Amino acid sequence: MSQWSQVQQLEIKFLEQVDQFYDDNFPMEIRHLLAQWIESQDWEAASNNEAMATILLQNLLIQVDEQLDRVSQEKNLLLIHNLKRTRKLLQGKYHGNPMHIAVIISNCLREERRILAAASMPAQGPLEKSLQNSMVSERQRNVEHKVSAIKNSAQMTDQDVKYLEDLQEEFDFRYKTIQSLEQSDKNSALIKQEMLALQAMLNTLDYKRKEVLSKIGRVIHEIDMLMSNMLTEELLDWKRRQQIACIGGPLHGGLDQLQNCFTLLAESLFQVRRQLEKLDELLTSLTYDGDPIPVQRPQLMEKVNFLLYNLFRNSFVVERQPCMPTHPQRPMVLKTLIQFTVKLRLLIKLPELNYQIRVKATIDKNVSTVSNRRFVLCGTHVKAMNMDESANGSLSVEFRHLQPKEMKSSAGSKGNEGPHMVTEELHSISFETQACLYGLTINLETSSLPVVMISNVSQLPNAWASIIWYNLSTNDPQNLSFFNNPPAATLSQLLEVLSWQFSSYVGRGLNSEQLNMLAEKLMGQQVSYSDYQLSWAKFCKEHLPGKSFTFWVWLEAILDLIKKHILPLWIDGYVMGFVSKEKERILLKDKTPGTFLLRFSESNLGGITFTWVDQLENGEVTFHSVEPYNKGRLTALPFADILRDYKVIMADNVPENPLKYLYPDIPKDRAFGKHYSCQPNEVSKPSDGGVKGYVPSVFIPVSKILNDSTDPHSPSDLLPMSPSVYAVLREHLSPTAIETALSSPYSTD
């Protein structure tokens, strides 16, 4: 079943997450129509290879053309229109930057895998629950309801102002008519009656002015209360959800809803502002003793301007945090002289602002960092916001060609920085602009979440650990001195974030048993870890007991191993991975001989091993673990093929594959058969021949186990032995002779 078919079978709450990352940059319609083809391409490799990305973009357009020909024959007018529009959009947007579409599609496929993995996990962790509780949803609904009510109230007040304007025009006309009469006419009874009517009308005008000002005051008060309480909380919650999403958590949504609320409130405030300006016009035509307009209007206008200022200031947000396209799963880690992207958005969507707001990007503006290192931004650092680049027409700007460059510092300043200091330094990228609208000028500023600057890719793992720890531990967006005294983290929340690293980076999160093993590795044997506090040093700086590396370096090496060498096996759930030697023996001891499981090495960085259970003639249960395979050996031979072809030579026995069933009882070939690089090697005679008379050779993983060995762990070596040669050896040599040959100085144990 294709990945897209699996996505379509998800529950609605997961489908809503999928919907959030498909837009005009890569329409879902294209994902649906070309599902099989899209999943068969290596978009991640193309995201770092311009030539490959160019070819893939051309092939994508060809695929769209083929779909267009098909629907043209079916005379599906709507689909024809959409496909033509999409083809034009893809060609226009990515013709000059094909790697960008590769990055986008790669990210979409990865997010799909993460969501599929999340859907298969049994329960939410504490962090995810806190982000998706019912109180938050209820507040969102209340905010939307109140914003709608405020908008209606402002519109109703418009009608009151219009009535007041009409009433005053009538009063002006009747009053000027009387004023134009001769003095003798003014003494008539009819005129006196008209004067009484005018006085009554003036009283009504006074009442209506007070009523309109009161209604305007109530609208302003409601907006003030909403902005001060619920809307501010909504914005802070969105920013917190963004933090969590940046470190692998659930995709954050809700920005479109916030934009709708901000825009409606801005429209209401500008509407109230126009109403106050209209009252000022009415004041110039008519005023009187006790007139409420000159007393109340200045205060109300000042309050409206203040609210508009705060609303605009809060609406200027970083929609997508700084990220290098080459490392999309590691946002906020930036390498010097490498381009990164960042996207900003104004949540107030007014057509009058399109292309009128120019945003300037700077780094470490008016802040003090914890080191002497200073940076400048190279590339296009001033751009105009517009509504053309966003799928929903929001007012946004995306910087795609910024590069951080380190400024030369005084001699010796770098010599004082230890290996961890660079990756614990936090920097800030700031953005500033000015919005001018309806005579109101508002200066806007915002900043990214803290970023870590590295100068070498080898610093990336520790830099990412810093980003994880910061965004897990605090919702303060600008605490650049955080690592002067980093707080401890709750272990239960940290384990949840570690599971996210696997679901977001390698497509499958960790289950409770795997997380328990990590918890024991971090804190030793504990009854419960729900309230355990773990220090930053223990997570990333102190070596594991008896090891030369830290917990995080060990875990990061495993992530790299999965990503590059055993990803399909991991996604299928066949790699138990995180299980201690003691636990693996408990699991295997009662199983059928030949049952094995796969686990990550605890003593070798980026190593994976397998352990199988066997039974001696006397009934004694034994366990054998092969020497861990690292990335060097897995580059030479795929791991699935190793499991298929692995042989053990026991004393006085012929070589055989001891691996029969993947724990608990899955036949090996059923589990891994689809991942074999070719069919199992058939034994051939030398006379069958190869190229120019040579016998084709393959690597076969072989181990030797002696009956009297006291060491249960035997190394595995990849020996260049062809199937045909191996068959001849079996025909002409005894098992003892084969064992003697393997024990010669030219073989290794």
Side-chain angles (χ1 to χ4, degrees):
M1 182 184 296
S2 70
Q3 181 173 305
W4 184 247
S5 298
Q6 296 177 57
V7 167
Q8 290 176 289
Q9 296 177 7
L10 291 172
E11 297 178 17
I12 186 65
K13 65 177 181 179
F14 295 109
L15 290 176
E16 289 174 350
Q17 294 183 34
V18 175
D19 182 61
Q20 291 172 10
F21 55 83
Y22 280 106
D23 52 29
D24 275 355
N25 287 322
F26 181 47
M28 187 182 290
E29 202 163 41
I30 297 299
R31 175 68 178 99
H32 178 76
L33 291 173
L34 305 179
Q36 293 282 1
W37 181 83
I38 287 172
E39 292 172 27
S40 66
Q41 311 304 311
D42 192 348
W43 298 100
E44 185 165 354
S47 66
N48 296 309
N49 186 322
E50 187 168 1
M52 184 178 180
T54 301
I55 294 173
L56 277 182
L57 176 59
Q58 292 172 351
N59 290 340
L60 175 63
L61 295 175
I62 291 173
Q63 292 289 326
V64 174
D65 287 337
E66 291 178 358
Q67 290 294 323
L68 191 55
D69 291 340
R70 180 182 63 81
V71 299
S72 296
Q73 295 174 4
E74 298 173 359
K75 298 181 180 180
N76 188 331
L77 182 60
L78 179 61
L79 194 52
I80 292 172
H81 171 80
N82 289 342
L83 282 177
K84 284 183 177 179
R85 175 181 175 275
T86 298
R87 193 196 187 288
K88 183 178 180 181
L89 182 147
L90 292 174
Q91 188 169 24
K93 185 181 285 286
Y94 303 114
H95 176 71
N97 188 9
M99 292 172 61
H100 190 50
I101 183 64
V103 170
I104 290 173
I105 297 179
S106 175
N107 289 346
C108 288
L109 293 175
R110 185 181 64 256
E111 287 300 330
E112 287 178 8
R113 291 194 296 270
R114 189 197 66 76
I115 291 172
L116 287 170
S120 66
M121 300 305 287
Q124 294 177 325
L127 268 177
E128 188 169 353
K129 286 181 180 178
S130 69
L131 298 174
Q132 299 179 357
N133 63 57
S134 58
M135 290 182 62
V136 172
S137 300
E138 182 65 24
R139 189 180 64 233
Q140 289 174 345
R141 288 191 290 270
N142 287 339
V143 168
E144 292 175 358
H145 174 74
K146 286 184 177 295
V147 167
S148 179
I150 287 171
K151 182 66 176 175
N152 290 334
S153 296
Q155 290 174 342
M156 293 295 293
T157 306
D158 247 4
Q159 298 178 16
D160 291 331
V161 172
K162 184 67 171 69
Y163 174 79
L164 184 60
E165 184 180 11
D166 293 341
L167 186 62
Q168 183 166 319
E169 285 182 0
E170 182 183 353
F171 177 86
D172 285 344
F173 176 76
R174 294 172 66 174
Y175 180 76
K176 290 177 180 177
T177 300
I178 294 177
Q179 289 295 103
S180 66
L181 296 176
E182 297 293 335
Q183 186 63 36
S184 59
D185 295 333
K186 292 180 181 180
N187 296 326
S188 66
L190 186 60
I191 295 303
K192 289 181 179 180
Q193 185 177 354
E194 179 66 13
M195 291 293 292
L196 291 175
L198 281 175
Q199 183 61 51
M201 187 177 289
L202 183 60
N203 293 339
T204 302
L205 276 172
D206 182 62
Y207 173 79
K208 282 296 182 182
R209 284 187 173 188
K210 291 176 180 177
E211 183 182 49
V212 167
L213 288 166
S214 177
K215 288 183 177 181
I216 289 175
R218 283 199 298 271
V219 171
I220 294 173
H221 178 74
E222 290 171 1
I223 294 175
D224 189 11
M225 290 298 99
L226 184 62
M227 287 175 55
S228 301
N229 298 312
M230 289 192 289
L231 192 62
T232 299
E233 291 178 13
E234 275 295 291
L235 185 60
L236 291 175
D237 279 350
W238 176 83
K239 290 182 177 181
R240 181 57 179 161
R241 291 196 299 272
Q242 186 189 50
Q243 277 188 279
I244 296 303
C246 284
I247 56 175
L251 286 176
H252 63 293
L255 197 58
D256 288 344
Q257 292 89 331
L258 274 173
Q259 175 179 285
N260 184 57
C261 292
F262 270 82
T263 300
L264 288 177
L265 286 181
E267 290 174 349
S268 297
L269 283 169
F270 279 120
Q271 194 169 16
V272 168
R273 202 167 182 268
R274 287 191 297 270
Q275 292 166 1
L276 291 172
E277 290 171 348
K278 175 57 69 176
L279 290 180
D280 192 46
E281 293 177 12
L282 296 179
L283 178 65
T284 59
S285 301
L286 174 65
T287 186
Y288 49 86
D289 291 341
D291 188 350
I293 292 179
V295 177
Q296 298 182 36
R297 180 194 166 280
Q299 298 174 359
L300 294 174
M301 183 63 83
E302 183 179 355
K303 185 67 174 177
V304 167
N305 290 340
F306 176 76
L307 292 176
L308 276 170
Y309 172 80
N310 283 334
L311 190 68
F312 268 87
R313 187 186 62 182
N314 290 326
S315 73
F316 192 40
V317 298
V318 179
E319 181 178 359
R320 191 163 59 242
Q321 294 292 331
C323 182
M324 294 185 292
T326 53
H327 295 82
Q329 298 95 351
R330 300 292 187 262
M332 284 101 77
V333 177
L334 307 180
K335 184 177 179 297
T336 52
L337 300 181
I338 295 296
Q339 288 184 355
F340 68 90
T341 66
V342 59
K343 185 176 182 180
L344 293 100
R345 182 166 170 179
L346 193 69
L347 298 180
I348 297 174
K349 180 183 174 182
L350 298 175
E352 297 89 341
L353 296 173
N354 198 23
Y355 287 101
Q356 298 302 311
I357 298 179
R358 296 182 63 82
V359 181
K360 179 182 179 182
T362 55
I363 187 167
D364 291 338
K365 178 188 177 184
N366 300 326
V367 296
S368 298
T369 58
V370 295
S371 80
N372 294 324
R373 297 201 305 160
R374 293 292 180 268
F375 298 86
V376 293
L377 291 180
C378 302
T380 305
H381 63 282
V382 178
K383 290 188 69 176
M385 304 189 84
N386 66 81
M387 299 179 182
D388 301 335
E389 296 185 9
S390 297
N392 59 358
S394 61
L395 194 62
S396 60
V397 60
E398 182 173 10
F399 292 91
R400 298 174 182 169
H401 305 290
L402 292 176
Q403 292 181 359
K405 179 181 179 181
E406 186 169 2
M407 300 172 63
K408 292 184 179 180
S409 56
S410 57
S413 63
K414 289 187 179 181
N416 298 325
E417 298 175 352
H420 281 279
M421 287 187 65
V422 169
T423 57
E424 292 179 3
E425 295 172 5
L426 299 178
H427 301 266
S428 174
I429 300 178
S430 303
F431 306 90
E432 58 184 4
T433 186
Q434 190 177 80
C436 300
L437 193 64
Y438 304 129
L440 200 63
T441 300
I442 304 173
N443 294 319
L444 306 177
E445 291 186 8
T446 192
S447 298
S448 70
L449 290 169
V451 300
V452 175
M453 295 292 183
I454 61 174
S455 55
N456 192 294
V457 176
S458 64
Q459 299 168 327
L460 183 61
N462 281 333
W464 180 239
S466 298
I467 295 298
I468 289 176
W469 201 265
Y470 181 93
N471 290 284
L472 168 64
S473 304
T474 181
N475 57 6
D476 185 342
Q478 284 298 298
N479 184 7
L480 301 185
S481 60
F482 175 85
F483 284 103
N484 287 348
N485 185 25
T490 303
L491 184 59
S492 59
Q493 292 187 346
L494 176 62
L495 291 175
E496 184 180 7
V497 173
L498 294 183
S499 179
W500 292 343
Q501 304 312 299
F502 284 82
S503 61
S504 63
Y505 193 62
V506 292
R508 186 181 183 89
L510 305 180
N511 60 34
S512 57
E513 293 299 322
Q514 292 168 323
L515 292 174
N516 283 336
M517 187 271 188
L518 293 183
E520 291 178 4
K521 200 165 186 66
L522 280 167
M523 67 181 191
Q525 297 292 335
Q526 296 279 346
V527 177
S528 172
Y529 57 78
S530 58
D531 297 323
Y532 186 86
Q533 297 289 311
L534 187 78
S535 70
W536 163 246
K538 197 165 188 178
F539 175 69
C540 190
K541 301 180 76 170
E542 297 174 0
H543 287 177
L544 290 169
K547 303 294 188 296
S548 60
F549 46 80
T550 66
F551 171 85
W552 173 250
V553 168
W554 172 73
L555 197 68
E556 179 75 10
I558 290 173
L559 280 166
D560 190 60
L561 172 79
I562 296 173
K563 183 73 171 179
K564 295 179 179 177
H565 300 289
I566 59 171
L567 184 61
L569 279 62
W570 174 261
I571 291 177
D572 284 349
Y574 292 143
V575 181
M576 185 175 292
F578 297 103
V579 56
S580 65
K581 295 177 182 178
E582 297 77 12
K583 182 65 178 291
E584 89 177 346
R585 296 194 174 199
I586 294 174
L587 294 174
L588 291 173
K589 67 177 182 178
D590 296 326
K591 293 299 178 181
T592 304
T595 302
F596 67 100
L597 56 78
L598 312 178
R599 68 175 177 86
F600 300 121
S601 172
E602 296 182 65
S603 56
N604 293 270
L605 286 177
I608 185 170
T609 183
F610 46 85
T611 299
W612 71 93
V613 62
D614 200 1
Q615 193 172 38
L616 302 179
E617 293 181 358
N618 61 6
E620 180 184 353
V621 174
T622 62
F623 305 92
H624 303 284
S625 297
V626 73
E627 180 184 353
Y629 289 87
N630 57 25
K631 60 183 181 181
R633 302 173 75 184
L634 293 175
T635 300
L637 192 62
F639 194 51
D641 289 359
I642 291 174
L643 297 173
R644 179 193 62 195
D645 300 331
Y646 180 73
K647 298 291 189 297
V648 165
I649 299 179
M650 306 287 289
D652 300 324
N653 286 301
V654 297
E656 64 177 14
N657 192 325
L659 310 178
K660 308 298 183 184
Y661 302 98
L662 177 66
Y663 180 88
D665 54 7
I666 307 173
K668 178 184 65 179
D669 289 341
R670 182 193 302 172
F672 302 108
K674 66 179 181 180
H675 302 302
Y676 296 155
S677 61
C678 58
Q679 294 301 315
N681 297 306
E682 297 181 359
V683 176
S684 60
K685 299 289 184 180
S687 58
D688 292 343
V691 178
K692 295 183 179 180
Y694 288 102
V695 177
S697 65
V698 295
F699 284 107
I700 298 178
V702 180
S703 292
K704 181 186 69 173
I705 300 178
L706 301 177
N707 284 339
D708 58 353
S709 174
T710 57
D711 185 3
H713 302 290
S714 300
S716 169
D717 299 292
L718 299 177
L719 302 180
M721 182 186 299
S722 71
S724 54
V725 171
Y726 182 67
V728 172
L729 287 177
R730 288 187 58 183
E731 288 181 6
H732 299 286
L733 296 176
S734 67
T736 303
I738 294 177
E739 178 187 345
T740 302
L742 288 171
S743 301
S744 73
Y746 300 102
S747 64
T748 57
D749 287 341

